[in-house]
Amino acid sequence: MKIAPILRPLNAVVRVPGSKSLTNRALLISALANGETRLANALFSDDSRYFAQALQTLGFDVRLEETSREMTVKGLGGKIPASKADLFIGNAGTAARFLSAFLTLGRGEYVLDGDPRMRQRPIGDLAEALTQLGANIQPILNSEFRIQNSITCPPVKIIANGLRGGKTKIAGDISSQFLSALLMVAPYAQSPVEIEVAGELNSKPYVDMTAAVMKTRSKVRRMIP
């Protein structure tokens, strides 16, 4: 393909696509918050669609306007409407990690599962960190691979009665999504949460992104991922 250079000044407006990382964080934080939040320039990817569908299955009012690239979420202040739900999240790794933490705030039983590739993606360290905070996360017999996954990968069952809080520890060199998940649910635990990050923190910009989105939602009800 031949690309011809443009020899004159340009006068144009370019709309940059939304960010998957920001959109997924904004979805969860909006569900955790009180009241309605509108996400402008949201990215409609497979991950964000699975995430939004999971929130809808849990009873949240989530409206998707793909043409205008907007999502609207009515948050309930850390409460989850459904007391029982089976959530299928495809191969959406971010959704798996964030929802695993989010579901511990509920009251009831929830199953989190995905496609065969998701059943090979680890969440064991996050499950252990949440267990230290009082969560009850149980492995489900994975008949496809004929193993008991020992909470290393989905599918998992989360028997929730709110998150107790307290102290927990997470490795910093595995996945920043684990720490981000803990940070987002920590304000809704029954008592203060103290998180120790063991070792060097990888992907620190993503943790900074999580903190920035949390701070933004505390001030406004319209976020631009």
Side-chain angles (χ1 to χ4, degrees), residues 83-105:
S83 60
K84 188 173 184 179
D86 291 336
L87 305 178
F88 181 83
I89 51 171
N91 190 31
T94 307
R97 280 80 181 262
F98 291 177
L99 285 169
S100 293
F102 179 55
L103 292 170
T104 65
L105 301 176

Side-chain angles (χ1 to χ4, degrees), residues 11 16 33 39 89 95 122 161 164 167 179 184 189 193 214 223:
N11 182 11
V16 179
L39 311 182
I89 51 171
N161 190 31
R164 184 190 65 226
K167 296 183 179 180
L179 178 55
M184 287 187 283
V193 173
M214 293 172 69
M223 293 190 286

Side-chain angles (χ1 to χ4, degrees), residues 4-212:
I6 298 175
L7 303 177
R8 65 184 185 280
L10 290 175
N11 182 11
V13 176
V14 177
R15 186 169 185 174
V16 179
S19 161
K20 179 181 76 172
S21 297
L22 278 172
T23 297
N24 286 340
R25 283 163 172 79
L27 277 170
L28 182 58
I29 291 169
S30 298
L32 285 165
N34 266 315
E36 184 175 287
T37 304
R38 184 165 65 91
L39 311 182
N41 199 33
L43 181 66
F44 283 79
S45 64
D46 285 345
D47 280 28
S48 60
R49 289 189 184 93
Y50 277 123
F51 206 147
Q53 290 167 7
L55 292 176
Q56 290 170 336
T57 302
L58 290 169
F60 288 92
D61 183 355
V62 180
R63 300 190 298 276
L64 307 178
E65 299 291 341
E66 192 158 352
T67 302
S68 59
R69 303 182 189 180
E70 291 185 353
M71 301 179 179
T72 304
V73 183
K74 286 188 178 180
L76 297 173
K79 297 181 175 64
I80 297 177
S83 60
K84 188 173 184 179
D86 291 336
L87 305 178
F88 181 83
I89 51 171
N91 190 31
T94 307
R97 280 80 181 262
F98 291 177
L99 285 169
S100 293
F102 179 55
L103 292 170
T104 65
L105 301 176
R107 306 279 175 175
E109 294 188 9
Y110 312 99
V111 172
L112 187 64
D113 197 5
D115 63 20
R117 178 69 183 93
M118 173 56 65
R119 292 179 170 189
Q120 299 173 1
R121 302 187 69 172
I123 60 169
D125 278 38
L126 174 59
E128 173 58 30
L130 289 166
T131 298
Q132 293 172 39
L133 297 175
N136 183 353
I137 304 177
Q138 301 178 2
I140 295 176
L141 181 64
N142 189 336
S143 59
E144 184 172 351
F145 294 99
R146 298 187 180 182
I147 58 172
Q148 189 77 14
N149 64 24
S150 303
I151 323 183
T152 57
C153 302
V156 294
K157 177 186 286 187
I158 297 169
I159 302 176
N161 190 31
L163 194 62
R164 184 190 65 226
K167 296 183 179 180
T168 191
K169 185 176 182 179
I170 193 79
D173 59 353
I174 297 179
S175 172
S176 63
Q177 292 177 4
F178 294 170
L179 178 55
S180 287
L182 293 171
L183 288 172
M184 287 187 283
V185 302
Y188 301 91
Q190 296 162 4
S191 62
V193 173
E194 180 180 331
I195 304 171
E196 177 186 347
V197 179
E200 185 176 353
L201 178 60
N202 288 347
S203 304
K204 184 177 179 295
Y206 285 98
V207 178
D208 293 339
M209 178 191 299
T210 301

